[in-house]
């Protein structure tokens, strides 16, 4: 039954054809179970581990690498073939694990379902497994129960339900059975409805089931998770495109060289072998491994900074994020109601600035009139607002248990939503008793006849009431939840505890203002985000006035920014939201569908969107966002399994650290690509020039493969570990569609590649003065050492001396190892395997000068054109 909240209970029961006193018959329940299905969340058909693994081999770059592996094996380079194959299998294995983790999100949703429910069947209350609940079942609830299905409340006795996982509201919702008028209410405002996956925190009640399984609000979220496809990250898209371009380009160049060789009537088989080995050289087979390892090392750094990455490319995506959509409760705030203001003796005391002893008496009265308590371990139990009062009292005054021993409770009138008050009676000495009443201001003030001023009980005047009312309104404007405290002394406990008799002629003490306060570190994080060109946006299920106050306090909501609630958002078309989304900083009272719309509107504006959250209601948006970051401590399993990243300390500031790490890693990956491609261009060029000139091949296939093995591994990996540049967080985020060859790489890569190719070819020409073996040795040596010097050049657009020659210790180690390996091949008997020889001192001088020449030229260019960088 749709919009059940706008109908009377009897109308709902009639529509569902059920008697509230008898419940469904077993026969009816069975028929409805067949009609509506089990009360469980359905899952899409699971993919097998094998299918996930095989899907990893559909990528174009992977196909090219497989061909390269086969070719290397064909050429007799077993080691190279095994290395390439290992890289392919490693990437496939990691991709399989990532996809398998994503499949667990719906399983986590199922954990929120209550396994057993107390239900009325055939006039008897019985326990059944929740999966067998059907629309029309009458279900009973009490404190501690999970709500097993969506339904309309029939009876409510002080019933409060924690719906934060579904709505984002930090305070439990008070439930009643009366009908509501507005059919367009958000979930958080439907006070006569209950929803599956939420938890009863107080009181008891009963409801009639209106929706089960995938038709519930939780089921709708599950369907969104099921239907939504995970989008590729910018880096994945760019690398896939790069792989295609390189593969096609390599095939074209190989075809050209092979065709020229055949026309020149060179041996066909030799030209085929050279062309194929060149294809292997042209494709940087180490690139996927370098990217994977660089990302993996970044993940290890992130773990140390309290963030766990579930998908390796996610850290790179964070680096390009320019919008962070954050849930309020538990993410920007502490998810812990706290007393921050006290109003006594017409004086407002701000407890955040310091404690005033005048606050002691009101806290004492307030804490006695609570059922909440904090145990010895510091764990709290009870309603969050009552926990806040107990916490404040124990922080500033004394232990609640000690106070209760002095003033033991002897009677009480429980809170109910009609009175909006709670009253307790305590023995104060041998003869007298104390009545304490706390509740909503409007309700309590009407029961007060007196007021406590400077320790004296005086008549409460209209002027006093007016002043107190203004203070109550001011606290409300500050988004504080306000409770009024009053008391009176009596001689004896009445035989009958009637509200009208006990809760009258009270003495007004003051007001307690409480709020779920912002995390202390978030203000700095918001400031850093804005300096880095990142727009923080608050998206919450809480009330607008609360959301706006918190957002202003944190600096999220600026003077010209807009704030909207769920109804205003509902009234906007997608096109209107697309136009306005950049100026909206706060969204309040929103549903899961709204969160998805907001994220998609930003993405339509070409933004890279990060979304933080902890509740079930955040899961679809976490999955839709370019990067989803779930809270590790307070976050639900659903949120964690739907996210790309989990913040283990629930700290919004951690996401700022993640952005910094992401930016650094992306820059380092670009450095690796810069290095690998420029080196590969040099290899292609030296062979192409020799072929066009009709000269002997300067390098044999084994030389090309060895150069790739020595230069494409450790130095490229060391570039991935380059420390972050000092100004990394003062730059604006890079555009989502930014070319991976931006910042001059489009020109620098070919120019530097041409230099590497030319110096290698010059070495070959100089070596030919003696013989072909000598020439190939010199070309082989220069090609290797010039690529190693290129690794130093690729570290930064700044001079290597500004960056620091030895700042990257991994690069120093990589260069020393690579140089050592190359010298071993040239200077030891291994040179016969490579068909090269040891060269004389003069030739070594030429090799060293030619190898360093590209680095020297680029240092001059940097000093001339990039001296201010």
């Amino acid at each position: 039954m749709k919009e059940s909240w706008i109908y009377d209970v009897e109308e709902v029961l009639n529509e569902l054809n059920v008697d509230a006193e008898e419940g469904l018959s077993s026969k009816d329940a069975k028929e409805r179970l067949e009609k509506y299905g089990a009360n469980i969340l359905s899952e899409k058909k699971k993919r097998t581990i094998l299918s996930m693994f095989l899907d990893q081999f559909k990528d174009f770059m992977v196909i090219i690498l497989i061909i390269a592996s086969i070719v290397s094996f064909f050429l007799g380079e077993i080691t190279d073939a095994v290395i390439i194959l290992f890289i392919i299998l490693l990437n496939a294995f990691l991709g399989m694990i990532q996809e398998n983790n994503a499949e667990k999100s719906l399983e986590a949703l199922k954990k929120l379902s209550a396994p057993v429910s107390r239900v009325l069947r055939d006039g008897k209350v019985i326990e059944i497994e929740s999966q067998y609940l059907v629309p029309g079942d009458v279900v009973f609830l009490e404190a501690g129960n999970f709500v097993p299905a969506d339904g309309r409340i029939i009876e409510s006795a002080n019933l409060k339900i924690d719906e934060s996982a579904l709505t984002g509201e930090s305070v439990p919702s008070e439930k009643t059975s009366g009908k509501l008028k507005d059919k367009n209410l958000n979930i958080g405002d439907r006070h006569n409805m209950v929803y599956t996956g939420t938890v009863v925190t107080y009181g008891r009640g009963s409801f009639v089931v209106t929706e089960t399984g995938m038709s519930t609000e939780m089921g709708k979220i599950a369907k969104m998770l099921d239907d939504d496809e995970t989008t590729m990250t910018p880096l994945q898209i760019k690398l896939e495109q790069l792989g295609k371009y390189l593969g096609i380009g390599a095939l074209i160049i190989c075809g050209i060289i092979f065709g020229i060789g055949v026309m020149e009537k060179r041996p066909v088989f030799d030209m085929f072998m050279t062309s194929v080995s060149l294809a292997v050289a042209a494709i940087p087979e180490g690139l996927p491994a370098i990217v994977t390892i660089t990302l993996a090392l970044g993940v290890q750094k992130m773990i140390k900074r309290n963030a766990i990455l579930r998908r390796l490319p996610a850290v790179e995506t964070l680096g390009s994020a320019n919008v962070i959509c954050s849930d309020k409760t538990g993410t920007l705030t502490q998810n812990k109601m706290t007393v921050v203001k006290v109003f006594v003796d017409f004086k407002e005391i701000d407890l955040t600035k310091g404690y005033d002893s005048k606050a002691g008496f009101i806290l004492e009265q307030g804490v006695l009139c609570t059922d909440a308590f904090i145990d010895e371990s510091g764990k709290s139990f009870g309603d969050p607002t009552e926990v806040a009062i107990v916490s404040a009292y124990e922080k500033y005054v004394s232990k609640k248990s000690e106070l209760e021993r002095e003033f033991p409770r002897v009677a009480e009138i429980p809170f109910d939503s009609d009175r909006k008050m709670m009253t307790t009676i305590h023995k104060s000495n041998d003869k007298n008793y104390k009545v304490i009443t706390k509740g909503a201001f409007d309700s309590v003030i009407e029961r007060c006849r007196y007021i406590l001023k400077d320790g004296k009980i005086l008549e409460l005047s209209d002027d006093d009431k007016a002043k107190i009312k203004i203070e109550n309104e001011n606290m409300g404007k500050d988004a504080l939840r306000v409770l009024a405290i009053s008391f009176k002394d009596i001689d004896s406990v009445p035989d009958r505890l009637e509200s009208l008799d006990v809760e009258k002629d009270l003495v007004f003490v003051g007001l307690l203002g409480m709020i779920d306060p912002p995390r202390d570190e978030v203000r700095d994080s918001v400031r850093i985000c804005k300096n880095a060109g990142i727009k923080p946006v608050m998206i919450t299920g809480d009330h607008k006035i609360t959301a706006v106050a918190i957002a202003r306090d944190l600096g999220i909501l600026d003077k010209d920014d807009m704030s909207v609630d769920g109804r205003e958002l509902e009234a906007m078309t997608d096109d209107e939201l697309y136009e306005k989304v950049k100026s909206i900083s706060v969204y309040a009272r929103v549903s899961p569908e709204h969160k998805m719309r907001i994220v998609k509107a930003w993405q339509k504006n070409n933004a890279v969107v990060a979304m933080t959250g902890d509740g079930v209601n955040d899961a679809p948006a976490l999955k839709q966002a370019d990067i989803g970051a779930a809270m590790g401590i307070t976050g639900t399993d659903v949120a964690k399994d739907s996210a790309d990243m989990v913040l283990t300390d629930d700290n919004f500031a951690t996401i700022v650290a993640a952005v910094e790490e992401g930016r650094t890693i992306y820059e380092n990956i670009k450095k690796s690509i810069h290095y690998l491609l420029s080196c590969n261009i040099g290899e292609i060029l030296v062979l192409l020039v020799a072929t066009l000139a009709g000269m002997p091949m300067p390098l044999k296939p084994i030389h090309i493969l060895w150069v790739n093995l020595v230069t494409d591994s450790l130095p490229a990996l060391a570039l991935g570990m380059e420390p972050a540049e000092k100004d990394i967080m003062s730059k604006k985020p890079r555009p989502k569609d930014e070319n991976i060859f931006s910042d001059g790489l489009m020109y620098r890569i070919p120019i530097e590649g041409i230099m590497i190719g030319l110096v290698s070819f010059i070495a070959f020409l100089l070596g030919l003065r003696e013989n072909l073996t000598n020439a190939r040795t010199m070309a082989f040596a220069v090609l290797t050492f010039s690529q190693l010097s290129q690794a130093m050049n690729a570290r930064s657009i700044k001079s290597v001396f500004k960056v620091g020659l030895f700042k990257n210790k991994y690069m120093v180690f990589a260069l020393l190892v690579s140089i050592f390996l190359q010298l071993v091949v040239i200077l030891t008997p291994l040179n016969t395997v490579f068909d090269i020889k040891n060269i004389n001192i003069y030739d070594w001088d030429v090799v060293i000068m030619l190898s360093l020449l590209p680095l020297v030229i680029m240092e001059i260019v940097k000093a001339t054109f990039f001296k201010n960088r």
Side-chain angles (χ1 to χ4, degrees):
M1 185 179 183
K2 305 299 180 185
E3 289 104 24
S4 304
W5 57 91
I6 65 173
Y7 299 101
D8 286 322
V9 172
E10 289 303 321
E11 292 179 281
V12 178
L13 292 170
N14 290 336
E15 181 70 23
L16 293 168
N17 195 22
V18 62
D19 186 336
E21 301 298 326
E22 294 291 323
L24 294 176
S25 67
S26 299
K27 181 183 177 182
D28 281 344
K30 185 177 180 181
E31 290 174 353
R32 296 187 187 196
L33 187 62
E34 292 175 359
K35 179 180 179 181
Y36 296 106
N39 181 35
I40 57 175
L41 300 178
S42 62
E43 276 185 88
K44 61 182 177 182
K45 187 178 179 181
K46 284 187 177 181
R47 295 165 64 205
T48 64
I49 294 291
L50 179 61
S51 67
M52 290 181 198
F53 183 73
L54 293 176
D55 282 348
Q56 308 304 315
F57 296 94
K58 294 179 180 178
D59 183 81
F60 187 83
M61 187 75 166
V62 174
I63 294 171
I64 295 294
L65 288 176
I66 292 172
I67 295 172
S69 178
I70 294 171
V71 169
S72 297
F73 186 82
F74 179 73
L75 292 173
E77 297 302 320
I78 308 299
T79 302
D80 206 61
V82 169
I83 290 172
I84 296 173
L85 188 61
F86 174 76
I87 291 168
I88 295 168
L89 293 174
L90 175 64
N91 283 329
F93 182 70
L94 290 173
M96 177 194 70
I97 290 174
Q98 291 157 14
E99 288 195 24
N100 186 49
N101 286 338
E103 292 285 346
K104 295 178 181 178
S105 59
L106 288 174
E107 292 178 16
L109 272 170
K110 288 178 131 185
K111 294 177 184 178
L112 292 177
S113 300
V116 177
S117 298
R118 290 172 60 237
V119 60
L120 186 64
R121 292 267 179 94
D122 299 311
K124 298 178 182 178
V125 177
I126 61 173
E127 286 192 348
I128 64 170
E129 290 184 35
S130 295
Q131 63 176 316
Y132 298 122
L133 286 176
V134 295
D137 264 326
V138 176
V139 181
F140 297 93
L141 296 173
E142 58 186 26
N145 288 164
F146 274 95
V147 178
D150 290 5
R152 173 72 163 81
I153 292 174
I154 299 173
E155 291 182 348
S156 170
N158 304 320
L159 184 64
K160 293 184 182 181
I161 295 181
D162 180 358
E163 297 179 330
S164 61
L166 194 61
T167 66
E169 244 188 298
S170 54
V171 178
S173 177
E174 296 173 9
K175 297 296 181 179
T176 61
S177 59
K179 74 174 183 180
L180 303 170
K181 295 180 180 180
D182 190 348
K183 69 177 183 179
N184 296 317
L185 292 174
N186 289 308
I187 292 174
D189 294 322
R190 300 171 194 167
H191 299 306
N192 57 9
M193 299 291 292
V194 293
Y195 295 99
T196 187
T198 58
V199 185
V200 179
T201 60
Y202 195 80
R204 57 181 177 79
S206 63
F207 72 95
V208 59
V209 175
T210 56
E211 303 287 354
T212 59
M214 295 301 287
S215 296
T216 63
E217 294 297 328
M218 193 75 74
K220 292 174 185 176
I221 294 174
K223 192 172 188 306
M224 282 191 280
L225 286 173
D226 194 5
D227 292 345
D228 184 51
E229 294 182 4
T230 304
T231 54
M232 292 180 71
T233 70
L235 181 63
Q236 287 175 310
I237 295 169
K238 290 165 188 170
L239 288 181
E240 183 177 300
Q241 292 172 342
L242 179 61
K244 289 179 181 178
Y245 297 149
L246 291 175
I248 294 168
L251 293 174
I252 292 172
I253 293 172
C254 291
I256 292 171
I257 291 179
F258 180 77
I260 293 173
V262 171
M263 284 189 294
E264 292 180 351
K265 297 182 180 181
R266 298 191 185 196
V268 175
F269 183 74
D270 287 352
M271 288 310 303
F272 173 75
M273 295 288 281
T274 299
S275 298
V276 172
S277 62
L278 188 57
V280 176
I283 301 170
E285 64 272 12
L287 181 57
I290 295 301
V291 170
T292 299
I293 294 169
T294 301
L295 289 171
L297 291 171
V299 168
Q300 294 303 312
K301 290 181 183 178
M302 292 297 295
I303 290 173
K304 294 177 182 178
R305 301 180 80 167
N306 300 313
I308 298 174
L309 273 295
R310 297 182 63 248
R311 294 191 305 119
L312 290 182
V315 69
E316 172 273 331
T317 313
L318 262 174
S320 61
N322 48 15
V323 179
I324 298 178
C325 295
S326 175
D327 185 44
K328 177 183 74 69
T329 305
T331 308
L332 297 171
T333 64
Q334 298 174 21
N335 198 19
K336 180 183 178 183
M337 292 299 289
T338 305
V339 178
V340 292
K341 285 186 180 179
V342 172
F343 179 73
V344 290
D345 279 347
F346 295 100
K347 177 184 178 183
E348 184 181 278
I349 301 169
D350 189 340
L351 294 179
T352 63
K353 297 179 179 178
Y355 175 68
D356 188 312
S357 59
K358 282 193 173 185
F361 183 75
I362 188 173
L363 289 174
E364 179 182 290
Q365 306 310 297
V367 81
L368 284 172
C369 192
T370 64
D371 293 322
F373 67 94
I374 301 173
D375 66 14
E376 293 181 359
S377 67
K379 187 176 181 181
S380 58
F381 299 86
D383 182 88
T385 55
E386 292 196 346
V387 170
I389 298 171
V390 176
S391 179
Y393 178 79
E394 295 198 347
K395 178 180 180 180
Y396 298 115
V397 188
S398 183
K399 289 287 185 183
K400 180 186 179 184
S401 56
E402 295 175 4
L403 186 64
E404 287 181 323
R405 281 195 291 271
E406 185 178 352
F407 300 99
R409 186 185 301 186
V410 294
E412 65 183 278
I413 304 177
F415 174 90
D416 68 56
S417 54
D418 293 329
R419 289 167 36 249
K420 297 183 180 179
M421 294 185 296
M422 171 184 179
T423 293
T424 56
I425 302 176
H426 304 262
K427 192 170 184 180
S428 59
N429 53 46
D430 292 337
K431 295 181 179 179
N432 297 325
Y433 295 87
K434 176 176 286 189
V435 175
I436 303 174
T437 299
K438 81 171 193 310
F441 166 74
D442 291 336
S443 300
V444 173
I445 198 70
E446 291 304 316
R447 306 292 184 102
C448 292
R449 183 177 173 184
Y450 306 98
I451 185 171
L452 188 68
K453 289 183 181 179
D454 297 321
K456 299 176 182 178
I457 297 176
L458 305 173
E459 287 281 344
L460 179 65
S461 67
D462 290 339
D463 186 50
D464 291 335
K465 284 186 179 181
K467 290 178 182 178
I468 298 168
K469 185 178 180 180
I470 292 172
E471 177 63 26
N472 177 66
E473 291 172 352
N474 289 338
M475 284 189 175
K477 289 176 183 177
D478 289 337
L480 300 185
R481 183 178 177 86
V482 184
L483 286 179
I485 307 295
S486 62
F487 80 100
K488 70 176 180 179
D489 294 321
I490 57 176
D491 297 329
S492 61
V493 179
D495 295 332
R496 294 181 61 188
L497 293 176
E498 296 288 344
S499 172
L500 292 176
D501 295 329
V502 176
E503 296 170 338
K504 70 176 184 178
D505 297 334
L506 298 171
V507 181
F508 183 82
V509 178
L511 304 174
L512 295 177
M514 56 196 75
I515 197 171
D516 179 11
R519 292 176 176 272
D520 294 334
E521 65 280 355
V522 169
R523 292 180 186 86
D524 286 339
S525 301
V526 169
R527 179 181 50 78
I528 293 171
C529 282
K530 289 189 173 184
N531 288 341
I534 301 167
K535 181 178 177 67
V537 177
M538 179 191 288
I539 305 178
T540 178
D542 218 334
H543 291 281
K544 187 175 180 179
I545 189 171
T546 304
V548 167
I550 294 290
R552 280 207 181 107
D553 187 15
L554 292 174
I556 291 174
L557 189 67
D558 290 332
K559 184 178 179 181
D560 298 326
D561 290 343
M562 294 173 59
S563 60
V564 299
D565 61 24
R567 289 190 183 186
E568 294 169 312
L569 184 59
E570 195 71 45
M572 291 184 197
T573 64
D574 287 343
D575 288 338
E576 287 174 333
L577 181 58
Y578 165 74
E579 293 293 333
K580 295 179 180 179
V581 71
K582 289 185 179 180
S583 60
I584 302 173
S585 293
V586 175
Y587 298 86
R589 230 54 182 144
V590 295
S591 67
E593 294 87 348
H594 292 152
K595 295 184 180 186
M596 292 278 282
R597 283 187 67 198
I598 295 163
V599 172
K600 287 180 178 178
W602 272 111
Q603 290 173 331
K604 191 177 176 183
N605 274 280
N606 209 33
V608 176
V609 184
M611 168 75 186
T612 69
D614 58 357
V616 175
N617 61 321
D618 297 320
L622 287 172
K623 192 174 181 184
Q624 172 64 34
D626 297 283
I627 173 75
M631 301 298 111
I633 299 172
T634 59
T636 60
D637 287 340
V638 186
K640 293 173 189 175
D641 286 330
S642 299
D644 304 287
M645 180 173 74
V646 178
L647 309 181
T648 59
D649 58 355
D650 282 15
N651 193 335
F652 181 82
T654 301
I655 205 167
V656 179
V659 169
E660 180 183 353
E661 197 64 47
R663 290 185 176 190
T664 301
I665 287 174
Y666 185 79
E667 289 301 315
N668 288 350
I669 288 173
K670 282 181 66 174
K671 292 170 186 176
S672 298
I673 293 171
H674 172 192
Y675 168 67
L676 291 171
L677 294 187
S678 58
C679 291
N680 286 16
I681 288 173
E683 294 172 16
I684 294 170
L685 186 67
V686 70
L687 293 177
L688 185 60
V689 171
T691 303
L692 293 174
M695 300 176 67
M697 286 292 107
L699 300 165
K700 287 189 171 185
I702 192 174
H703 298 153
I704 296 171
L705 294 171
W706 173 258
V707 170
N708 279 357
L709 191 64
V710 171
T711 62
D712 286 8
S713 53
L714 291 179
L717 182 57
L719 281 171
M721 302 173 75
E722 192 71 25
E725 297 188 18
K726 292 180 180 179
D727 60 350
I728 195 76
M729 286 302 285
S730 62
K731 299 176 182 177
K732 299 297 180 186
R734 62 182 179 279
K736 187 175 184 179
D737 55 356
E738 180 185 88
N739 193 302
I740 201 166
F741 299 112
S742 62
D743 203 20
L745 286 188
M746 183 67 75
Y747 308 103
R748 291 174 61 198
I749 288 174
I751 291 171
E752 291 163 10
I754 289 170
M755 285 193 292
I756 291 171
L758 285 178
V759 293
S760 300
F761 188 70
I762 292 170
F764 178 70
L765 290 177
L766 293 174
L768 276 177
R769 291 179 302 183
E770 185 173 332
N771 56 50
L772 183 58
T773 302
N774 194 71
R776 282 177 171 164
T777 303
M778 290 182 68
F780 179 46
V782 170
L783 184 63
T784 303
F785 293 135
S786 63
Q787 289 189 18
L788 295 179
S789 70
Q790 171 65 2
M792 293 296 287
N793 171 53
R795 288 177 61 195
S796 177
I797 193 71
K798 301 172 185 174
S799 167
V800 70
F801 298 103
K802 278 188 178 181
V803 174
L805 278 170
F806 306 106
K807 189 175 181 181
N808 186 347
K809 59 184 179 182
Y810 302 103
M811 179 61 75
V812 175
F813 174 77
L815 293 179
L816 290 175
V817 171
S818 298
I819 291 170
F820 172 76
L821 291 173
Q822 184 68 6
L823 291 176
V824 166
V825 167
I826 296 175
L827 301 177
T828 69
L830 277 175
N831 54 26
T832 56
V833 177
F834 285 79
D835 197 17
I836 56 176
K837 63 172 220 175
N838 194 357
I839 53 178
N840 59 44
I841 295 297
Y842 169 76
D843 288 340
W844 272 117
D845 289 340
V846 172
V847 165
I848 293 170
M849 284 189 292
L850 288 174
S851 298
L852 292 175
L853 186 59
L855 177 61
V856 172
I857 291 173
M858 286 310 300
E859 280 295 304
I860 294 171
V861 170
K862 288 177 182 180
T864 305
F865 299 103
F866 304 108
K867 58 184 177 181
N868 295 324
R869 295 292 291 271

